[in-house]
């Protein structure tokens, strides 16, 4: 399966962005989809995940501000990001896997190219 992340950009603190992760070459519904981010000088970290059965998971740092959802007809997973903070600045990537270890990047088999999110103060 191929994944393509898009929707990043420059936004002021407090603003919103919606990221998209479009899947092709395979049914998105067959995989768990995760969002990860990596800021300069930092390790890549888990942000959110949506399982095949529709369960959602969030990192504590984004809980209450970010919402993950899907559109099966478009084979796309979205990450709605509200109340953005400068510390949310990072390259955001989506990935797909089929295990239960949603927060471990090592368990993800397929990765899309990232999209840059920059939040100015």
């Amino acid at each position: 399966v191929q994944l393509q992340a898009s929707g990043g950009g420059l936004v002021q603190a407090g603003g919103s962005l919606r990221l998209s992760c479009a899947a092709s070459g395979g049914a998105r519904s067959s995989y768990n989809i995760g969002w990860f981010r990596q800021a300069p000088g930092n390790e890549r970290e888990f942000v959110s995940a949506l399982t095949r059965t529709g369960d959602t998971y969030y990192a504590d740092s984004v809980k209450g501000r970010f919402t993950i959802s899907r559109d099966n007809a478009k084979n796309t997973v979205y990450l709605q990001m509200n109340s953005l903070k400068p510390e949310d600045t990072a390259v955001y990537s989506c990935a797909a896997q089929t295990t239960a270890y949603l927060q471990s990047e090592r368990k993800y088999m397929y990765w899309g190219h990232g999209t840059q999110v920059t939040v100015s103060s």
Side-chain angles (χ1 to χ4, degrees):
V1 63
Q2 290 81 44
L3 303 173
Q4 179 64 52
S6 62
L10 174 63
V11 65
Q12 288 187 332
S16 299
L17 284 173
R18 188 179 76 161
L19 304 184
S20 299
C21 177
S24 60
R28 190 228 60 81
S29 58
S30 300
Y31 298 90
N32 302 320
I33 300 295
W35 283 99
F36 290 79
R37 67 187 182 185
Q38 186 169 23
N42 291 356
E43 295 186 351
R44 185 155 53 188
E45 64 175 1
F46 170 79
V47 176
S48 180
L50 176 64
T51 69
R52 290 171 287 183
T53 56
D55 296 320
T56 59
Y57 298 86
Y58 300 94
D60 288 343
S61 59
V62 307
K63 204 170 292 183
R65 300 187 297 121
F66 291 10
T67 303
I68 192 170
S69 63
R70 65 187 177 190
D71 184 332
N72 289 333
K74 295 183 178 180
N75 233 15
T76 299
V77 170
Y78 301 101
L79 184 68
Q80 177 67 42
M81 307 186 297
N82 298 330
S83 302
L84 284 162
K85 304 175 181 179
E87 50 263 44
D88 294 319
T89 295
V91 174
Y92 285 70
S93 302
C94 60
Q97 56 107 295
T98 58
T99 77
Y101 300 96
L102 298 170
Q103 298 191 28
S104 173
E105 63 175 294
R106 298 187 185 91
K107 297 297 184 180
Y108 286 78
M109 301 175 289
Y110 305 101
W111 288 83
H113 292 296
T115 184
Q116 176 71 46
V117 171
T118 303
V119 184
S120 62
S121 57

